[in-house]
């Protein structure tokens, strides 16, 4: 079982489509299942809620083989750590042993706060 967070995002949607094409039935963590592409709900297991919530993470990661953890773009976060590192706290110390992380699809946050990061265009 593969767990995918933010499955309605630009990146998450691509990963979900790839897994479904390969015949997998991924477990998707989403705040709003109605935003999933047509046909996805019937072919995936849905865990509704935020992957910033420990209880949601526990339900989603039960018996999972791997997790793709995509932090949401949070331009209102007070720091880079709060936007990306702190958001992973509910995942720390939990199975599965394999996790792949992803950043947000936008670098507006870092650029707006004077980071040396270059925006992706």
């Amino acid at each position: 079982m593969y767990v995918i967070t933010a499955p309605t995002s630009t990146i998450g949607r691509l990963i979900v489509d790839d897994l479904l094409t390969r015949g997998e039935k991924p477990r998707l963590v989403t705040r709003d299942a109605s935003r999933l592409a047509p046909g996805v709900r019937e072919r995936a297991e849905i865990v509704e809620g935020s992957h910033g919530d420990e209880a949601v993470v526990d339900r989603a990661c039960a018996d999972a083989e791997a997790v793709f953890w995509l932090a949401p773009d949070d331009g209102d976060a007070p720091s880079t750590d709060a936007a990306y590192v702190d958001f992973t706290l509910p995942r720390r110390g939990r199975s599965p042993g394999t996790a792949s992380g992803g950043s947000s699809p936008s670098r507006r946050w870092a650029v707006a706060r004077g980071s040396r990061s270059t925006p992706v265009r």
Side-chain angles (χ1 to χ4, degrees), residues 56-114:
V56 171
V57 171
D58 286 342
R59 282 194 318 270
C61 290
D63 301 322
E65 180 180 332
V67 175
F68 182 82
W69 190 274
L70 185 67
D73 189 15
D74 185 357
D76 294 326
S79 69
T80 304
D81 283 348
Y84 298 102
V85 177
D86 291 353
F87 197 77
T88 66
L89 291 175
R91 170 72 183 91
R92 290 185 187 167
R94 288 175 165 73
S95 294
T98 303
S100 176
S103 69
S104 76
S106 168
R107 297 201 183 211
R108 290 184 314 229
W109 190 95
V111 173
R113 286 165 177 76

